[in-house]
Amino acid sequence: MTQQGSTPVDGGWSVTIASVRFEHHREAFGIGENRPRLSWIVATSMARWRQVGYEMKAYGPDGRLRTQTGRIESDQSVLVPWPLEPLSSRERLTVRVRVWGSDGQPSAWSTHASVEAGLLHTDDWTARFVTPDWEEDTTRPQPAPLLRREFDVHAAVTRARLYVTALGVYEAHLNGVTVGDDVLAPGWTSYNHRVHYQTFDVTDLLREGHNAIGAILGDGWYRGRLGFNGGRRTIYGDRLALLAQLEINYADGTTERIVTDETWHAARGPILASDLYDGETYDARLELPGWSKACYDDRGWVGVRRFDRDLTTLVAPSGPPVRRTELVAPVAITPSPSGRTIVDFGQNLVGRLRLTVQGEAGQTITLRHAEVLEHGELCVRPLRTAQATDRYTLRGDVVETWEPRFTFHGFRYAEVEGWPGEVHADDIRAVVCHSDMERTGWFECSNPLINRFHENVVWSIRGNFLSIPTDCPQRDERLGWTGDIQVFAPTACYLYNGAGFLASWLADVAAEQNTADGVVPFVVPNVLPMPPIPAAAWGDAAVIVPWVLYQRYGDDGILAAQFESMRAWVDRIDSLAGEGHLWNTGFQFGDWLDPSAPPDQPADARTDPHMVATAYFARSAELLGQAAGVLGRKEEEAHYLRLAAGVRAAFDAEYVTPAGRVLSDAETAYALALQFDLLKTAEQRRHAGRRLVELVRESGYHISTGFVGTPLICDALCSVGEYNAAFHLLTQRECPSWLYPVTMGATTIWERWDSLRPDGSVNPGEMTSFNHYAFGAVADWLHRTVGGLAPAEPGYRHLDIQPHPGSGLTYARARHLTPYGLAECTWTIEGEQIEVVVVVPPNATTSVTLPKGNGTTIQVGSGTYRWVYPYHAPSHPPRSLDSTLDELIDDPEAWNTVVRTIRQQLSGLARHMDIGTLMLQNSHMTLEQVLSLLPPTDQVRPALEAVLATVGRVGVEGTG
Ligand code: BGC
């Protein structure tokens, strides 16, 4: 191998601190940790830079130095323990960091990074929840209450903070201005155990003299409808309530507090009804202009009363709030066949519409939302009972702008009714809303279909990371289904910084388990009406998601925080499985949505659900043992690793033959056995690997796995060296496959492989969402294996860079903002040459194994590296009637074309037998020989010759 330029390029000697972060906060404002761990990213073009020490200085709000650590000898730059006195409630500091590299040189000091604590103790709250003093019929949505009071402010305010939350959802106002840009605050948590409060800097919203504070409350998750089969309302309570504490500091050192108490007033506002599933109804004629401004006449308003609620459940958020992150303009506004106006945003997204409209008072505009059209009309059947309908009644005459506040929908299309005149593209925008996490991962390659697939994964995380990780954003669910995030967490953590977001959700998992004897409910927060029952792959989220966070962010604190939850789950399964270590009783989802399952039987998979259960039991026990090891809990480490070994032995005795065949003899079963290390001998692994490839080939490289097998199958194939098979699966375009939806115009990941069927009809099954991220979990394999960027040590401190070109791809690029900085791997094949460029962030190291290199693994430190060397991409002889079926099957495009052509030409025969299977059983024959076995027709041979001549021309780079 000729290798050029494999040494890093030194571009200068400057070392700076690019960013300083507290815990996982994007903005460390109003945080709940009093000893936030610090992380910093070093920027330098100096090669092989390693940190040997750091120093930190902390300054008060007056800019005066409070403390300094002096130089601390340490190579740690991620989640470094708080070296100062614990923060007290409300305390604000700025911190500067500098570091020393192994060359002995210090960096420049970082800029000031600010951190401010929220209210850390329950007794910091003098506010009390208040609720309007009126009776309501909570069997259906009620008008949204407005709450308000006025107060005076003296001169010289130095700082003002609003600490606020609601039982319900809220929007706070000060002097007529909306406070902050949060959407659907306080977000959804397991409200019975934890309620987030928000902290806002409102210094600039106050003015000397008369002021007013107010809030609008909506039902949201607290009181609105939740769950399928009609769901339930008022799950958490039937009274909406507000808790607000405005703290004003003056230059003279005094402080004043304006808190929710009986002095507030309430009135019903213009939101007549709001519901997350059903939508919002707003009558602008009922607006109360100036209601949150001073000197407003609220004599017609009613009082409020105190609402008793345990304030110890209040917590500061560890992740970012839901925000509006993008406005999307319509790509088309067209009449439907029945004459309705349909707006197409060209992208399936999550959020709501914003209208700008002028018309007569009293006219009502109705907006219905859907992800797909059927026969040119809005297809709302997949939404099940969710109405997804917003209504706006005009105030009249003036230009009015409106966006619903307390609802969201999953949609690409909206039907607009009652619009005064014609709807113009400028009048309407889709407002994309989700938890505002930082984007940290990118992937692209030379195949536009794969790129669109990847983009769809990104849109599905955007649509489903809305306060909690949900299954889907559109129908009457939108719940924190544990199985979905269990399989998707690695992908999510690459694409976005999901650490704080998922840590919050995991705290809810733990809280829910406490009241369920260790069982992890199907959904968290748990709103299902039945008592929680354990289900494998779903409940295992309690163990696997913290482990993923540890791997991806290097955060052992999350393991410590979740350890009891992880253990409670494993112990519970242990007691169910008993001495025999087989979890073979009770309900299981199993390999949910196996494509062979009928539309109305999503659990009817080929893989034995109890086999899945025991496999996951082994996996979770193993990870728990490893987590105990990380935390230095020696006894537990030994106990759970022993348990895992026992479960593996039981699995082996029950489900694996001595030769290595696995029961069930299905792809998911082999993928589990290989990926969860459930096979005892190398020979069993080899055998299982061979059988897995056989099955995958027999399926014609169509997906044959459901929720459990799909995230594992490509890794399982690669683990036994079958990269080509994994690539064939990936690049398959026929249904079922990852790319089939892309060829059907998908812009998000679908719940079912055939949510939209090849004939264009919408799958009639109950589970037909067009925005479910679970099957997008293969993106993690794309990042690690095709892009070649994988963590080898927690937090990517050491990377494992091992890109694998395949399937005719000529280029791929993976970029990830690791906790140490941006890591990158790009490979490009041009002619007979490959170029690999690798970027390793400062204070990290990597192993590089080059594609078709000389087999050695190179160890390098930070820097940019480039290798160029001869590379012969595998090629195959042109396809013809002399090709064997074995050759054709490994070229999914050729195979599909041949099978399709024979089916068309011999349709009579195709009705009686599956031609694909027939051909596979004779795979050593040439196509010519097969034709001689089939009924003679005049057309089949020329038709095949014609299509074979075109195969490979479009190649995987085609657009399908
Ligand atoms: C959800 C899934 C979930 C499943 C559990 C569905 O209704 O949408 O994604 O994991 O139920 O079986």
Side-chain angles (χ1 to χ4, degrees):
M1 178 176 64
T2 339
Q3 197 172 286
Q4 300 171 2
S6 66
T7 43
V9 190
D10 284 336
W13 298 102
S14 91
V15 179
T16 54
I17 307 286
S19 67
V20 176
R21 188 179 289 253
F22 301 87
E23 288 292 323
H24 298 290
H25 294 289
R26 207 173 172 184
E27 302 126 35
F29 187 75
I31 68 170
E33 300 88 357
N34 66 350
R35 301 174 60 86
R37 294 166 299 170
L38 285 133
S39 307
W40 50 87
I41 288 181
V42 174
T44 177
S45 46
M46 196 188 296
R48 291 178 286 269
W49 190 90
R50 280 187 307 108
Q51 177 188 304
V52 295
Y54 65 84
E55 181 179 8
M56 208 179 290
K57 285 184 177 178
Y59 303 80
D62 53 5
R64 284 225 210 101
L65 181 66
R66 284 270 189 86
T67 22
Q68 51 189 330
T69 61
R71 176 170 163 159
I72 295 177
E73 300 309 311
S74 166
D75 62 359
Q76 246 192 301
S77 56
V78 171
L79 298 167
V80 172
W82 180 247
L84 315 169
E85 285 294 296
L87 292 170
S88 51
S89 289
R90 309 175 184 85
E91 186 171 357
R92 183 178 181 81
L93 292 177
T94 64
V95 167
R96 296 209 297 160
V97 176
R98 69 169 168 169
V99 295
W100 281 264
S102 52
D103 59 349
Q105 294 305 308
S107 71
W109 281 100
S110 71
T111 54
H112 288 259
S114 60
V115 58
E116 184 174 316
L119 300 184
L120 303 177
H121 311 286
T122 308
D123 56 17
D124 291 323
W125 290 93
T126 44
R128 292 294 176 259
F129 277 102
V130 294
T131 185
D133 195 8
W134 62 51
E135 294 314 309
E136 291 172 295
D137 171 11
T138 51
T139 59
R140 54 199 180 86
Q142 295 294 301
L146 309 178
L147 281 78
R148 75 181 307 275
R149 73 156 277 186
E150 299 195 12
F151 57 96
D152 286 327
V153 170
H154 323 299
V157 171
T158 53
R159 136 177 170 155
R161 298 289 182 261
L162 177 62
Y163 304 97
V164 55
T165 188
L167 303 176
V169 281
Y170 74 88
E171 189 180 273
H173 288 232
L174 247 180
N175 294 327
V177 177
T178 306
V179 175
D181 54 3
D182 292 29
V183 168
L184 295 166
W188 193 11
T189 44
S190 291
Y191 290 136
N192 293 336
H193 309 283
R194 299 168 66 245
V195 178
H196 280 154
Y197 69 88
Q198 280 69 40
T199 305
F200 295 104
D201 180 354
V202 292
T203 318
D204 292 340
L205 295 181
L206 293 180
R207 55 163 183 256
E208 193 181 337
H210 239 45
N211 289 257
I213 182 170
I216 316 173
L217 302 182
D219 289 356
W221 298 278
Y222 186 84
R223 190 169 84 164
R225 186 158 74 94
L226 288 176
F228 39 90
N229 294 333
R232 292 182 298 152
R233 297 181 48 73
T234 63
I235 288 179
Y236 295 102
D238 60 1
R239 300 296 311 182
L240 300 182
L242 175 73
L243 180 78
Q245 183 158 314
L246 171 64
E247 299 191 358
I248 309 168
N249 295 344
Y250 292 100
D252 62 7
T254 57
T255 301
E256 233 173 358
R257 283 187 193 177
I258 309 299
V259 300
T260 40
D261 56 20
E262 287 89 342
T263 63
W264 288 53
H265 289 101
R268 293 183 169 92
I271 300 178
L272 295 177
S274 66
D275 186 87
L276 297 173
Y277 294 171
D278 296 329
E280 186 164 306
T281 302
Y282 188 98
D283 189 341
R285 295 169 305 175
L286 304 178
E287 283 173 357
L288 302 167
W291 70 275
S292 66
K293 291 185 179 162
C295 306
Y296 172 83
D297 180 1
D298 64 8
R299 270 174 299 175
W301 290 43
V302 301
V304 301
R305 57 177 190 256
R306 261 167 76 156
F307 182 80
D308 273 338
R309 162 85 198 197
D310 177 6
L311 298 188
T312 61
T313 54
L314 295 174
V315 284
S318 57
V322 177
R323 292 200 175 106
R324 300 166 183 88
T325 61
E326 189 177 339
L327 294 181
V328 178
V331 295
I333 302 179
T334 41
S336 74
S338 70
R340 294 156 199 266
T341 303
I342 305 277
V343 186
D344 176 4
F345 291 93
Q347 172 63 52
N348 194 26
L349 52 83
V350 174
R352 56 244 188 151
L353 297 176
R354 183 180 293 169
L355 315 178
T356 308
V357 61
Q358 185 163 15
E360 269 176 40
Q363 181 157 357
T364 298
I365 299 170
T366 304
L367 308 165
R368 293 191 182 83
H369 305 74
E371 299 187 295
V372 283
L373 301 180
E374 199 173 30
H375 312 303
E377 306 286 346
L378 220 56
C379 179
V380 294
R381 179 166 37 84
L383 306 181
R384 305 199 297 222
T385 68
Q387 297 301 309
T389 302
D390 298 327
R391 293 185 185 82
Y392 180 71
T393 300
L394 276 72
R395 185 167 60 235
D397 298 332
V398 292
V399 174
E400 299 171 46
T401 298
W402 179 74
E403 174 191 330
R405 275 190 182 80
F406 297 140
T407 192
F408 67 91
H409 312 290
F411 65 102
R412 169 175 167 170
Y413 301 94
E415 181 186 296
V416 180
E417 197 192 308
W419 191 276
E422 213 177 298
V423 188
H424 295 286
D426 285 349
D427 302 333
I428 194 158
R429 288 288 175 273
V431 185
V432 179
C433 302
H434 53 84
S435 290
D436 192 15
M437 301 164 299
E438 182 184 10
R439 179 87 191 258
T440 52
W442 300 266
F443 173 84
E444 62 185 2
C445 68
S446 54
N447 181 335
L449 291 183
I450 296 176
N451 290 344
R452 182 65 237 196
F453 169 79
H454 191 264
E455 195 55 22
N456 293 357
V457 175
V458 174
W459 273 102
S460 281
I461 178 174
R462 292 180 74 183
N464 282 295
F465 272 39
L466 196 152
S467 196
I468 60 153
T470 59
D471 56 336
C472 60
Q474 72 300 78
R475 67 177 179 226
D476 52 3
E477 286 201 60
R478 317 183 193 185
L479 305 176
W481 278 98
T482 48
D484 303 46
I485 187 60
Q486 186 270 114
V487 300
F488 190 70
T491 303
C493 291
Y494 175 92
L495 294 172
Y496 282 89
N497 184 341
F501 173 91
L502 288 171
S504 168
W505 182 77
L506 285 170
D508 285 340
V509 170
E512 298 280 7
Q513 279 176 282
N514 282 341
T515 50
D517 207 6
V519 174
V520 177
F522 296 165
V523 299
V524 174
N526 185 18
V527 291
L528 301 182
M530 66 278 196
I533 46 176
W538 271 251
D540 292 284
V543 177
I544 293 173
V545 176
W547 186 254
V548 171
L549 296 187
Y550 168 61
Q551 291 295 326
R552 299 304 172 99
Y553 302 114
D555 184 358
D556 54 5
I558 193 74
L559 296 181
Q562 293 302 123
F563 193 77
E564 288 312 319
S565 148
M566 298 164 83
R567 172 159 64 186
W569 169 254
V570 173
D571 285 353
R572 184 61 198 255
I573 303 314
D574 190 17
S575 71
L576 282 175
E579 298 277 287
H581 294 323
L582 290 174
W583 184 10
N584 53 12
T585 51
F587 169 84
Q588 293 296 344
F589 289 113
D591 196 22
W592 182 254
L593 287 176
D594 174 331
S596 70
D600 58 344
Q601 304 282 324
D604 203 359
R606 275 166 298 185
T607 302
D608 179 351
H610 288 125
M611 182 264 183
V612 173
T614 299
Y616 262 97
F617 178 24
R619 173 77 175 156
S620 281
E622 173 72 30
L623 293 184
L624 176 58
Q626 291 185 28
V630 172
L631 298 173
R633 303 172 76 128
K634 291 281 169 236
E635 242 169 67
E636 284 116 326
E637 179 184 11
H639 172 77
Y640 289 107
L641 293 182
R642 211 168 35 242
L643 174 63
V647 181
R648 278 197 296 270
F651 182 94
D652 180 74
E654 182 77 8
Y655 297 112
V656 188
T657 69
R661 189 166 276 240
V662 179
L663 308 169
S664 314
D665 188 30
E667 283 97 318
T668 292
Y670 287 99
L672 280 169
L674 289 167
Q675 281 309 100
F676 290 179
D677 219 359
L678 299 172
L679 302 169
K680 271 197 311 214
T681 66
E683 184 42 41
Q684 281 181 322
R685 269 191 83 78
R686 265 195 296 278
H687 188 88
R690 274 197 303 271
R691 182 64 192 141
L692 175 60
V693 181
E694 258 168 43
L695 290 168
V696 168
R697 274 181 113 227
E698 276 169 25
S699 72
Y701 298 104
H702 292 92
I703 281 283
S704 310
T705 45
F707 255 53
V708 167
T710 302
L712 304 177
I713 187 124
C714 285
D715 276 308
L717 287 165
C718 294
S719 78
V720 290
E722 296 288 346
Y723 288 88
N724 285 339
F727 272 104
H728 295 334
L729 265 184
L730 172 73
T731 50
Q732 173 65 263
R733 298 184 219 167
E734 279 193 349
C735 187
S737 70
W738 281 294
L739 296 188
Y740 160 74
V742 180
T743 67
M744 296 296 283
T747 58
T748 36
I749 302 300
W750 296 349
E751 177 172 28
R752 284 177 182 277
W753 300 109
D754 60 346
S755 282
L756 196 64
R757 300 195 290 191
D759 64 4
S761 62
V762 175
N763 192 304
E766 278 267 287
M767 307 285 163
T768 306
S769 138
F770 289 84
N771 202 352
H772 245 71
Y773 50 54
F775 288 157
V778 72
D780 189 53
W781 175 81
L782 279 179
H783 306 146
R784 285 182 288 104
T785 306
V786 183
L789 216 58
E793 272 178 27
Y796 295 82
R797 172 124 223 200
H798 186 68
L799 288 112
D800 178 12
I801 295 188
Q802 250 189 91
H804 286 273
S807 262
L809 294 182
T810 54
Y811 160 80
R813 182 177 206 203
R815 286 185 303 142
H816 179 57
L817 185 57
T818 74
Y820 295 89
L822 191 70
E824 201 170 317
C825 176
T826 309
W827 55 263
T828 315
I829 300 171
E830 242 183 86
E832 297 287 281
Q833 199 160 272
I834 190 168
E835 180 197 60
V836 181
V837 178
V838 162
V839 178
V840 185
N843 209 24
T845 52
T846 190
S847 317
V848 183
T849 313
L850 294 169
K852 292 203 185 152
N854 58 13
T856 52
T857 296
I858 309 153
Q859 305 293 338
V860 295
S862 67
T864 299
Y865 303 83
R866 180 168 170 266
W867 290 270
V868 182
Y869 55 95
Y871 183 89
H872 305 285
S875 61
H876 53 70
R879 305 303 182 197
S880 71
L881 295 182
D882 294 327
S883 304
T884 64
L885 299 187
D886 267 334
E887 287 164 359
L888 289 173
I889 179 73
D890 286 336
D891 180 349
E893 190 202 348
W895 178 255
N896 292 340
T897 313
V898 165
V899 173
R900 205 179 316 122
T901 309
I902 298 182
R903 273 194 197 129
Q904 276 160 5
Q905 297 295 328
L906 298 168
S907 52
L909 184 67
R911 268 201 298 279
H912 298 293
M913 62 177 73
D914 180 41
I915 290 181
T917 313
L918 175 80
M919 289 168 60
L920 270 169
Q921 284 158 357
N922 298 287
S923 61
H924 56 286
M925 289 186 187
T926 63
L927 197 49
E928 184 72 62
Q929 288 167 327
V930 171
L931 284 186
S932 68
L933 298 176
L934 296 175
T937 72
D938 291 343
Q939 297 92 2
V940 69
R941 181 182 302 274
L944 277 174
E945 277 169 345
V947 293
L948 285 171
T950 64
V951 161
R953 255 196 241 147
V954 183
V956 291
E957 275 78 63
T959 55

